[in-house]
């Protein structure tokens, strides 16, 4: 798997140190809330979620949403589909949405809108990566660990055609792999 990577963009130790900082911000921002509902977006947020949330010493409740916007390629399809039959109960609650990356912004915008529609009192968003580009949908993430250029990356939860999510770092694929 590592032989498919052109370059490592963000090393594992760098991610870990940064997660300590983001986790402390989340802890202090939500310390006064009675309860915090975390909603992770599958499958990209899986690795980030596990590492980040173990650093947040609050009584979190964790749910996941299954949302798809890419369909096998390296460009967002522009449509956000909710694949879940049942969505989490968020009425009157504070919700923190976690995703791997803010790209066009459509996913986080669609999920936040849905959660507000379902009666959430406050929705905050948190991503591992923010791509430096114009967004199709409004809004930046409330918490973002790293900003990267407008290039396609894999690892630490991010996939190319379903693979490379388990790389412990964020990297760029060799062109020969994308083909
Ligand atoms: P957005 O809705 O365009 O902001 O994109 C959100 C989703 O697209 C993310 O949750 C990722 O799953 C996927 N995505 C965006 N950029 C990349 C990338 O560089 N590599 C892998 N997946 C990506
Ligand atoms: Mg994804």
């Amino acid at each position: 798997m590592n032989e498919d990577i052109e370059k490592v963009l963000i090393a594992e130790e760098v991610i870990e140190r940064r997660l300590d900082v983001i986790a402390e911000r989340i802890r202090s921002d939500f310390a006064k809330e009675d309860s915090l509902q975390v909603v992770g977006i599958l499958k990209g947020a899986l690795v980030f979620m596990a590492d980040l949330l173990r650093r947040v010493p609050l009584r979190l409740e964790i749910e996941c949403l299954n949302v798809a916007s890419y369909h096998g390629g390296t460009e967002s399809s522009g449509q956000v589909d909710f694949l879940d039959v049942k969505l989490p109960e968020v009425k009157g609650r504070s919700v923190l949405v976690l995703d791997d990356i803010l790209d066009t912004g459509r996913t986080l915008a669609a999920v936040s809108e849905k959660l507000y529609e379902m009666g959430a009192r406050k929705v905050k968003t948190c991503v591992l990566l923010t791509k430096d580009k114009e967004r199709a949908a409004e809004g930046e993430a409330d918490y973002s660990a790293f900003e990267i250029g407008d290039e396609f990356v894999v690892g630490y939860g991010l996939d190319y055609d379903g693979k490379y999510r388990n790389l412990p770092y964020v990297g760029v694929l060799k062109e020969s792999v994308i083909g």
Side-chain angles (χ1 to χ4, degrees):
M1 174 171 68
N2 287 289
E3 61 273 21
D4 295 349
I5 299 301
E6 176 74 42
K7 66 173 180 209
V8 174
L9 213 58
I10 312 171
E12 190 174 4
E13 314 77 67
V14 177
I15 297 176
E16 287 179 349
R17 282 201 301 276
R18 183 73 178 135
L19 292 193
D20 289 337
V21 175
I22 302 286
E24 170 51 25
R25 269 185 214 158
I26 292 172
R27 186 206 60 79
S28 110
D29 290 354
F30 291 95
K32 293 209 175 72
E33 309 263 343
D34 309 329
S35 78
L36 178 59
Q37 175 70 62
V38 177
V39 175
I41 317 258
L42 294 176
K43 304 183 215 46
L46 266 179
V47 178
F48 175 46
M49 220 177 150
D51 283 353
L52 179 72
L53 298 182
R54 278 178 297 171
R55 290 171 159 82
V56 180
L58 298 175
R59 288 184 198 85
L60 306 176
E61 284 177 58
I62 303 173
E63 289 282 354
C64 291
L65 272 185
N66 215 341
V67 164
S69 63
Y70 273 41
H71 302 283
T74 61
E75 289 294 332
S76 174
S77 69
Q79 195 196 321
V80 178
D81 302 318
F82 287 80
L83 308 177
D84 299 84
V85 179
K86 189 173 167 284
L87 296 171
E89 182 56 63
V90 294
K91 212 173 220 111
R93 307 193 61 189
S94 290
V95 185
L96 178 67
V97 182
L98 300 186
D99 203 358
D100 49 1
I101 188 166
L102 185 75
D103 181 24
T104 66
R106 287 193 188 100
T107 304
L108 282 183
V111 170
S112 302
E113 191 185 309
K114 186 86 169 180
L115 292 168
Y116 276 124
E117 255 172 47
M118 291 165 63
R121 185 169 59 82
K122 174 164 95 180
V123 180
K124 297 282 178 189
T125 55
C126 174
V127 291
L128 175 72
L129 306 172
T130 295
K131 265 190 201 177
D132 181 16
K133 69 191 274 186
E134 283 228 3
R135 311 257 175 260
E138 227 175 282
E140 295 298 307
D142 297 292
Y143 306 90
S144 171
F146 301 96
E147 184 158 310
I148 62 167
D150 187 10
E151 61 184 331
F152 189 79
V153 295
V154 294
Y156 208 80
L158 293 119
D159 71 304
Y160 170 62
D161 209 10
K163 295 179 276 287
Y164 306 103
R165 293 193 200 274
N166 55 315
L167 281 173
Y169 53 83
V170 174
V172 178
L173 282 174
K174 286 183 180 156
E175 272 197 36
S176 56
V177 178
I178 294 180

Short mmCIF file of all heavy atoms in Angstrom, two decimals, residues 41-45 67 69-70 73-78 80 99-109 129 131 133 135-136 148 151-155 157-160 165, ligand 1:
data_model
loop_
_atom_site.label_atom_id
_atom_site.label_comp_id
_atom_site.label_asym_id
_atom_site.label_seq_id
_atom_site.Cartn_x
_atom_site.Cartn_y
_atom_site.Cartn_z
N ILE A 41 -19.36 11.33 10.17
CA ILE A 41 -19.80 10.99 8.82
C ILE A 41 -18.97 9.81 8.31
O ILE A 41 -17.75 9.91 8.16
CB ILE A 41 -19.62 12.18 7.86
CG1 ILE A 41 -20.07 13.47 8.53
CG2 ILE A 41 -20.27 11.90 6.51
CD1 ILE A 41 -21.37 14.00 8.16
N LEU A 42 -19.65 8.71 8.08
CA LEU A 42 -18.98 7.50 7.60
C LEU A 42 -18.68 7.60 6.11
O LEU A 42 -19.42 8.27 5.41
CB LEU A 42 -19.87 6.28 7.85
CG LEU A 42 -20.12 5.92 9.31
CD1 LEU A 42 -21.10 4.77 9.40
CD2 LEU A 42 -18.82 5.59 10.03
N LYS A 43 -17.63 6.93 5.59
CA LYS A 43 -16.69 6.22 6.43
C LYS A 43 -15.45 7.07 6.67
O LYS A 43 -14.58 6.71 7.45
CB LYS A 43 -16.26 4.91 5.72
CG LYS A 43 -17.42 4.04 5.34
CD LYS A 43 -16.86 2.75 4.72
CE LYS A 43 -17.61 2.14 3.62
NZ LYS A 43 -18.19 2.70 2.49
N GLY A 44 -15.37 8.20 6.00
CA GLY A 44 -14.15 9.02 6.05
C GLY A 44 -13.73 9.48 7.43
O GLY A 44 -12.55 9.64 7.70
N ALA A 45 -14.71 9.71 8.33
CA ALA A 45 -14.38 10.27 9.65
C ALA A 45 -13.95 9.21 10.65
O ALA A 45 -13.53 9.54 11.76
CB ALA A 45 -15.57 11.05 10.20
N VAL A 67 -23.25 8.94 4.55
CA VAL A 67 -23.54 9.92 3.51
C VAL A 67 -22.59 9.67 2.35
O VAL A 67 -21.43 9.35 2.57
CB VAL A 67 -23.32 11.34 4.09
CG1 VAL A 67 -23.21 12.38 3.02
CG2 VAL A 67 -24.44 11.70 5.05
N SER A 69 -21.04 11.25 -1.34
CA SER A 69 -21.02 12.34 -2.32
C SER A 69 -20.06 12.03 -3.47
O SER A 69 -20.19 12.57 -4.55
CB SER A 69 -20.65 13.67 -1.67
OG SER A 69 -19.35 13.61 -1.16
N TYR A 70 -19.09 11.13 -3.20
CA TYR A 70 -18.18 10.72 -4.27
C TYR A 70 -18.68 9.37 -4.77
O TYR A 70 -19.18 8.57 -4.00
CB TYR A 70 -16.76 10.50 -3.73
CG TYR A 70 -15.91 11.73 -3.70
CD1 TYR A 70 -16.43 12.96 -3.30
CD2 TYR A 70 -14.56 11.68 -4.04
CE1 TYR A 70 -15.63 14.08 -3.24
CE2 TYR A 70 -13.76 12.79 -3.99
CZ TYR A 70 -14.30 13.99 -3.59
OH TYR A 70 -13.52 15.10 -3.53
N GLY A 73 -14.77 8.19 -7.97
CA GLY A 73 -13.78 9.01 -8.65
C GLY A 73 -12.99 9.89 -7.70
O GLY A 73 -12.92 9.64 -6.51
N THR A 74 -12.39 10.93 -8.23
CA THR A 74 -11.65 11.87 -7.40
C THR A 74 -12.30 13.25 -7.42
O THR A 74 -11.73 14.22 -6.97
CB THR A 74 -10.17 11.99 -7.85
OG1 THR A 74 -10.14 12.48 -9.19
CG2 THR A 74 -9.44 10.67 -7.75
N GLU A 75 -13.51 13.34 -7.93
CA GLU A 75 -14.25 14.62 -7.93
C GLU A 75 -15.59 14.39 -7.24
O GLU A 75 -16.24 13.37 -7.47
CB GLU A 75 -14.51 15.09 -9.36
CG GLU A 75 -13.29 15.57 -10.11
CD GLU A 75 -12.68 16.84 -9.53
OE1 GLU A 75 -13.41 17.64 -8.93
OE2 GLU A 75 -11.45 17.01 -9.67
N SER A 76 -16.01 15.36 -6.44
CA SER A 76 -17.30 15.27 -5.77
C SER A 76 -18.41 15.27 -6.83
O SER A 76 -18.34 16.01 -7.81
CB SER A 76 -17.48 16.47 -4.84
OG SER A 76 -18.77 16.47 -4.31
N SER A 77 -19.42 14.41 -6.63
CA SER A 77 -20.50 14.32 -7.62
C SER A 77 -21.45 15.50 -7.53
O SER A 77 -22.25 15.74 -8.43
CB SER A 77 -21.28 13.03 -7.42
OG SER A 77 -22.01 13.10 -6.22
N GLY A 78 -21.37 16.24 -6.40
CA GLY A 78 -22.24 17.40 -6.26
C GLY A 78 -23.56 17.09 -5.59
O GLY A 78 -24.32 17.98 -5.25
N VAL A 80 -25.50 15.08 -2.37
CA VAL A 80 -25.26 14.45 -1.07
C VAL A 80 -26.44 13.55 -0.73
O VAL A 80 -27.56 14.01 -0.57
CB VAL A 80 -25.07 15.52 0.03
CG1 VAL A 80 -24.87 14.87 1.38
CG2 VAL A 80 -23.88 16.42 -0.31
N ASP A 99 -16.13 15.27 10.18
CA ASP A 99 -15.89 14.69 8.86
C ASP A 99 -14.39 14.70 8.57
O ASP A 99 -13.63 15.38 9.26
CB ASP A 99 -16.66 15.45 7.78
CG ASP A 99 -16.91 14.59 6.53
OD1 ASP A 99 -16.46 13.42 6.49
OD2 ASP A 99 -17.54 15.08 5.58
N ASP A 100 -13.99 13.94 7.56
CA ASP A 100 -12.58 13.87 7.24
C ASP A 100 -12.07 15.16 6.60
O ASP A 100 -11.02 15.66 6.94
CB ASP A 100 -12.28 12.65 6.33
CG ASP A 100 -13.22 12.55 5.13
OD1 ASP A 100 -14.10 13.41 4.96
OD2 ASP A 100 -13.07 11.58 4.36
N ILE A 101 -12.86 15.70 5.66
CA ILE A 101 -12.34 16.83 4.88
C ILE A 101 -13.45 17.76 4.41
O ILE A 101 -14.56 17.32 4.12
CB ILE A 101 -11.53 16.28 3.66
CG1 ILE A 101 -10.79 17.38 2.91
CG2 ILE A 101 -12.41 15.49 2.71
CD1 ILE A 101 -9.72 16.86 1.95
N LEU A 102 -13.14 19.04 4.41
CA LEU A 102 -14.05 20.03 3.84
C LEU A 102 -13.54 20.34 2.43
O LEU A 102 -12.47 20.93 2.27
CB LEU A 102 -14.06 21.31 4.69
CG LEU A 102 -15.05 22.38 4.28
CD1 LEU A 102 -16.47 22.00 4.69
CD2 LEU A 102 -14.70 23.72 4.91
N ASP A 103 -14.28 19.89 1.44
CA ASP A 103 -13.85 20.06 0.05
C ASP A 103 -14.78 21.09 -0.61
O ASP A 103 -14.55 22.29 -0.48
CB ASP A 103 -13.86 18.69 -0.64
CG ASP A 103 -13.40 18.73 -2.08
OD1 ASP A 103 -12.67 19.66 -2.45
OD2 ASP A 103 -13.77 17.83 -2.86
N THR A 104 -15.83 20.64 -1.28
CA THR A 104 -16.78 21.62 -1.82
C THR A 104 -17.61 22.24 -0.70
O THR A 104 -18.22 23.30 -0.88
CB THR A 104 -17.76 20.96 -2.81
OG1 THR A 104 -18.58 20.02 -2.11
CG2 THR A 104 -17.02 20.24 -3.92
N GLY A 105 -17.69 21.56 0.44
CA GLY A 105 -18.49 22.04 1.57
C GLY A 105 -19.93 21.54 1.55
O GLY A 105 -20.69 21.77 2.48
N ARG A 106 -20.28 20.81 0.49
CA ARG A 106 -21.68 20.38 0.36
C ARG A 106 -22.11 19.39 1.44
O ARG A 106 -23.22 19.47 1.94
CB ARG A 106 -21.91 19.74 -1.01
CG ARG A 106 -21.92 20.73 -2.14
CD ARG A 106 -22.48 20.06 -3.40
NE ARG A 106 -22.34 20.92 -4.56
CZ ARG A 106 -21.38 20.80 -5.45
NH1 ARG A 106 -20.47 19.85 -5.35
NH2 ARG A 106 -21.32 21.62 -6.49
N THR A 107 -21.21 18.47 1.77
CA THR A 107 -21.58 17.44 2.77
C THR A 107 -21.91 18.09 4.11
O THR A 107 -22.99 17.86 4.67
CB THR A 107 -20.44 16.42 2.96
OG1 THR A 107 -20.13 15.86 1.68
CG2 THR A 107 -20.84 15.32 3.92
N LEU A 108 -20.98 18.92 4.62
CA LEU A 108 -21.22 19.51 5.94
C LEU A 108 -22.41 20.45 5.92
O LEU A 108 -23.17 20.52 6.88
CB LEU A 108 -19.97 20.22 6.45
CG LEU A 108 -18.89 19.30 7.01
CD1 LEU A 108 -17.73 20.10 7.56
CD2 LEU A 108 -19.46 18.39 8.11
N ALA A 109 -22.60 21.16 4.82
CA ALA A 109 -23.75 22.06 4.73
C ALA A 109 -25.05 21.25 4.75
O ALA A 109 -26.00 21.59 5.46
CB ALA A 109 -23.66 22.91 3.46
N LEU A 129 -9.21 17.92 7.69
CA LEU A 129 -8.58 18.71 6.63
C LEU A 129 -9.54 19.72 6.03
O LEU A 129 -10.74 19.43 5.87
CB LEU A 129 -8.11 17.79 5.50
CG LEU A 129 -7.20 16.63 5.87
CD1 LEU A 129 -7.00 15.71 4.66
CD2 LEU A 129 -5.86 17.13 6.37
N LYS A 131 -9.67 21.91 2.46
CA LYS A 131 -9.00 22.19 1.18
C LYS A 131 -9.09 23.67 0.88
O LYS A 131 -10.15 24.28 1.00
CB LYS A 131 -9.67 21.41 0.05
CG LYS A 131 -8.98 20.11 -0.24
CD LYS A 131 -9.48 19.47 -1.52
CE LYS A 131 -9.17 18.00 -1.47
NZ LYS A 131 -9.68 17.28 -2.64
N LYS A 133 -9.76 26.10 -1.34
CA LYS A 133 -10.43 26.32 -2.63
C LYS A 133 -11.75 27.03 -2.40
O LYS A 133 -12.20 27.17 -1.26
CB LYS A 133 -10.66 24.99 -3.33
CG LYS A 133 -11.71 24.10 -2.63
CD LYS A 133 -11.74 22.72 -3.17
CE LYS A 133 -12.63 22.54 -4.38
NZ LYS A 133 -12.73 21.12 -4.79
N ARG A 135 -15.66 27.29 -2.15
CA ARG A 135 -16.67 26.29 -1.77
C ARG A 135 -17.94 26.46 -2.60
O ARG A 135 -18.37 27.58 -2.86
CB ARG A 135 -17.06 26.43 -0.31
CG ARG A 135 -15.92 26.51 0.63
CD ARG A 135 -15.60 25.27 1.39
NE ARG A 135 -14.38 25.54 2.13
CZ ARG A 135 -13.17 25.15 1.75
NH1 ARG A 135 -13.01 24.40 0.70
NH2 ARG A 135 -12.11 25.48 2.46
N ALA A 136 -18.54 25.32 -2.94
CA ALA A 136 -19.83 25.34 -3.63
C ALA A 136 -20.94 25.67 -2.63
O ALA A 136 -21.92 26.32 -2.94
CB ALA A 136 -20.10 23.99 -4.27
N ILE A 148 -4.97 22.18 3.56
CA ILE A 148 -4.12 21.63 2.49
C ILE A 148 -4.47 22.31 1.17
O ILE A 148 -5.50 22.97 1.07
CB ILE A 148 -4.28 20.09 2.34
CG1 ILE A 148 -5.73 19.73 1.95
CG2 ILE A 148 -3.87 19.37 3.60
CD1 ILE A 148 -5.89 18.29 1.48
N GLU A 151 -5.69 19.45 -3.74
CA GLU A 151 -5.24 18.21 -4.39
C GLU A 151 -5.91 17.02 -3.72
O GLU A 151 -6.39 17.12 -2.59
CB GLU A 151 -3.72 18.07 -4.35
CG GLU A 151 -3.12 17.99 -2.96
CD GLU A 151 -1.59 17.96 -2.98
OE1 GLU A 151 -1.02 17.46 -3.97
OE2 GLU A 151 -0.99 18.43 -2.01
N PHE A 152 -5.96 15.90 -4.43
CA PHE A 152 -6.64 14.72 -3.92
C PHE A 152 -5.72 13.95 -2.99
O PHE A 152 -4.60 13.60 -3.35
CB PHE A 152 -7.09 13.83 -5.08
CG PHE A 152 -7.99 12.71 -4.62
CD1 PHE A 152 -9.33 12.95 -4.36
CD2 PHE A 152 -7.48 11.44 -4.43
CE1 PHE A 152 -10.16 11.93 -3.90
CE2 PHE A 152 -8.30 10.42 -3.98
CZ PHE A 152 -9.65 10.66 -3.72
N VAL A 153 -6.19 13.70 -1.76
CA VAL A 153 -5.36 13.02 -0.77
C VAL A 153 -6.04 11.75 -0.26
O VAL A 153 -7.26 11.60 -0.37
CB VAL A 153 -5.05 13.95 0.43
CG1 VAL A 153 -4.20 15.13 0.01
CG2 VAL A 153 -6.34 14.44 1.10
N VAL A 154 -5.24 10.85 0.29
CA VAL A 154 -5.78 9.62 0.89
C VAL A 154 -5.12 9.38 2.24
O VAL A 154 -4.11 10.00 2.57
CB VAL A 154 -5.54 8.37 -0.01
CG1 VAL A 154 -6.30 8.46 -1.31
CG2 VAL A 154 -4.04 8.14 -0.25
N GLY A 155 -5.70 8.46 3.00
CA GLY A 155 -5.12 8.05 4.28
C GLY A 155 -5.83 8.68 5.45
O GLY A 155 -6.60 9.62 5.30
N GLY A 157 -8.32 7.77 7.03
CA GLY A 157 -9.78 7.78 6.82
C GLY A 157 -10.20 8.09 5.40
O GLY A 157 -11.26 7.67 4.95
N LEU A 158 -9.37 8.84 4.68
CA LEU A 158 -9.74 9.23 3.31
C LEU A 158 -9.39 8.13 2.32
O LEU A 158 -8.31 7.54 2.39
CB LEU A 158 -9.04 10.52 2.92
CG LEU A 158 -9.50 11.73 3.73
CD1 LEU A 158 -8.35 12.32 4.51
CD2 LEU A 158 -10.14 12.77 2.84
N ASP A 159 -10.29 7.90 1.38
CA ASP A 159 -10.10 6.77 0.46
C ASP A 159 -9.96 7.23 -0.99
O ASP A 159 -10.36 8.33 -1.36
CB ASP A 159 -11.32 5.84 0.52
CG ASP A 159 -12.55 6.47 -0.13
OD1 ASP A 159 -12.95 7.57 0.31
OD2 ASP A 159 -13.11 5.87 -1.07
N TYR A 160 -9.40 6.31 -1.79
CA TYR A 160 -9.54 6.40 -3.23
C TYR A 160 -10.21 5.09 -3.65
O TYR A 160 -9.63 4.02 -3.42
CB TYR A 160 -8.19 6.58 -3.94
CG TYR A 160 -8.32 6.43 -5.44
CD1 TYR A 160 -9.11 7.32 -6.17
CD2 TYR A 160 -7.70 5.39 -6.12
CE1 TYR A 160 -9.27 7.17 -7.54
CE2 TYR A 160 -7.85 5.24 -7.49
CZ TYR A 160 -8.64 6.13 -8.19
OH TYR A 160 -8.81 5.97 -9.54
N ARG A 165 -7.84 3.96 3.37
CA ARG A 165 -8.34 4.63 4.58
C ARG A 165 -7.47 4.32 5.80
O ARG A 165 -7.38 5.11 6.73
CB ARG A 165 -9.77 4.18 4.90
CG ARG A 165 -10.81 4.63 3.89
CD ARG A 165 -12.21 4.41 4.46
NE ARG A 165 -13.23 4.37 3.44
CZ ARG A 165 -13.85 5.42 2.93
NH1 ARG A 165 -13.52 6.63 3.34
NH2 ARG A 165 -14.79 5.30 2.01
P1 LIG B 1 -17.55 17.95 0.11
O1 LIG B 1 -18.99 17.61 0.29
O2 LIG B 1 -17.20 18.25 -1.31
O3 LIG B 1 -16.99 18.95 1.09
O4 LIG B 1 -16.71 16.62 0.28
C1 LIG B 1 -16.81 15.86 1.34
C2 LIG B 1 -16.43 14.43 1.06
O5 LIG B 1 -15.72 14.22 -0.17
C3 LIG B 1 -15.49 14.06 2.15
O6 LIG B 1 -16.21 13.58 3.25
C4 LIG B 1 -14.64 13.00 1.52
O7 LIG B 1 -15.25 11.75 1.74
C5 LIG B 1 -14.66 13.30 0.04
N1 LIG B 1 -13.38 13.95 -0.38
C6 LIG B 1 -13.18 15.24 -0.67
N2 LIG B 1 -11.90 15.48 -1.00
C7 LIG B 1 -11.26 14.29 -0.91
C8 LIG B 1 -9.89 13.87 -1.12
O8 LIG B 1 -8.98 14.64 -1.44
N3 LIG B 1 -9.65 12.55 -0.94
C9 LIG B 1 -10.60 11.64 -0.58
N4 LIG B 1 -11.89 11.98 -0.36
C10 LIG B 1 -12.21 13.30 -0.53
#
